[in-house]
Every structure is written in C-alpha cells, then in structure tokens.
Amino acid sequence: INNAVAAAGSDRSSAALRSDRTVLVWGSNQFRQTNAPPDLTNAVALSSGGGHNLALREDGIVVAWGFNGLGQTNVPPGLSNVVAIAAGELHSLALKNDGTVTAWGYNDDGATNVPPGLTNVVAIAAGYHNLALKGDGTLVSWGYNGTGQTNVPAGLSNIIAISAGSFHSLALKNDGSLVTWGDNSSLQTTLPPG
C-alpha cells in the first residue's frame, strides 16, 4: 500500500488511511468489515474493533461499518464535533471537541456507561473496556474488568498516551516509562527489561 498515513487493525482485518483521505480495508470479511462505504471520503482517523470499523471524517462525523449485532455501528443520531474514535471489541467510543465521551453498542459489562461527570478528556482507547486520558494526565477506566484491566494503579499520573488491549491496559508516562495492568496470561503486562 502506498501513501498510507495511518493504520488500524483488529484480530480479523486491517485498515489503512491514505494521504488522499480514502480508506482501504482488507482481511476477513465475515461481518462485511472490509466493505468500507464507497462514499467515505475526507477521513482523518481510523479504528478497528472486534468485527467493525470506525472512520472519523474531517468534518467531525463518524462513519461505522461491519458487524452490528450489538449496535456497535449504530452511530448515535446527531453525534458531531468528534475529534477521536475508538472501536472496542463490541462497542464504540467517540471523543468530542468539548472533552466529553459518547459510547454505543454492547453494554453487558458497562462498556457504554460513560462515568458521570467525565470531562476534560484528551484521548480514548477501547478493548472490552475503555480508557479515557484526561488533560491533567490522569486516567479513567470503565467496562469489563474480569482481569483487572480497569483497575488503574493508584497514584498513576503524568500520562501522555494510552492503549487498550482486549483484556489489559497500557499507559505511557511523560518520563518515557510504561505502566501495564490487567490480563497477563501471555505475559502482555510483564514489561521486558530495559
């Protein structure tokens, strides 16, 4: 693929955003997740979930496609002014320019129950759970917690970036150190030396 400026991947498919702001998706098409809408243009960000994809357009509108058995591609009517997106395993998140988060899709474990009063969010990530990075460098997490992935370590601060695996979480601090927690069955939260 030439002229790619961003990429997203899940366990079933991969997606690339090209410099002309078009989207290319490949891999398993079990849930039509590789069938990007033909009129999708002016995309500025991508995110891939368990069987669905999200694209953020330049105008702050979210486009979703793929598996929708649990409402994860049913973008809420009127959702606008979005600046970031995160496709979870069975749900979706959008960060608005006012620092608030909107969630939709599967909610059996509270994944779409955005904590009341959550504001000043600057980044989001999703797996079976969610992470929200606040402007003050602290973290809020909610959703499925079967392996402790929403148990943010006490005192964790100075965070500048986040990532959510299916069952674990990662936070990058401003000193270059990485903090991980949650499922460690494949040593995914055991940091290598150095």
Side-chain angles (χ1 to χ4, degrees):
I1 296 173
N2 295 320
N3 302 316
V5 296
S10 70
D11 58 345
R12 296 183 183 99
S13 65
S14 298
L17 175 62
R18 294 184 241 186
S19 58
D20 65 359
R21 297 187 181 171
T22 60
V23 174
L24 177 64
V25 189
W26 66 97
S28 170
N29 199 32
Q30 179 182 3
F31 303 114
R32 297 184 306 280
Q33 68 265 42
T34 64
N35 296 348
D39 59 346
L40 175 58
T41 58
N42 294 319
V44 294
L46 294 174
S47 186
S48 295
H52 71 292
N53 293 297
L54 303 176
L56 175 61
R57 293 190 336 207
E58 183 179 39
D59 61 3
I61 300 298
V62 177
V63 178
W65 68 97
F67 180 61
N68 194 38
L70 300 162
Q72 59 269 54
T73 66
N74 291 344
V75 179
L79 180 64
S80 61
N81 300 316
V82 174
V83 295
I85 50 176
E89 290 296 325
L90 300 170
H91 68 285
S92 301
L93 298 177
L95 172 61
K96 297 184 67 173
N97 64 358
D98 64 359
T100 62
V101 176
T102 300
W104 64 96
Y106 188 58
N107 194 39
D108 191 47
D109 296 301
T112 63
N113 292 342
V114 178
L118 180 62
T119 59
N120 193 29
V121 176
V122 297
I124 52 176
Y128 277 104
H129 65 297
N130 302 305
L131 302 174
L133 174 60
K134 299 189 70 172
D136 63 1
T138 62
L139 189 62
V140 175
S141 186
W142 70 98
Y144 180 70
N145 193 36
T147 58
Q149 64 266 46
T150 67
N151 297 340
V152 178
L156 182 60
S157 61
N158 299 316
I159 302 166
I160 58 171
I162 54 175
S163 184
S166 293
F167 302 109
H168 70 289
S169 302
L170 301 94
L172 175 64
K173 297 183 67 171
N174 63 1
D175 63 1
S177 62
L178 189 63
V179 179
T180 61
W181 64 97
D183 181 34
N184 196 37
S185 60
S186 299
L187 302 180
Q188 62 267 51
T189 61
T190 300
L191 294 171

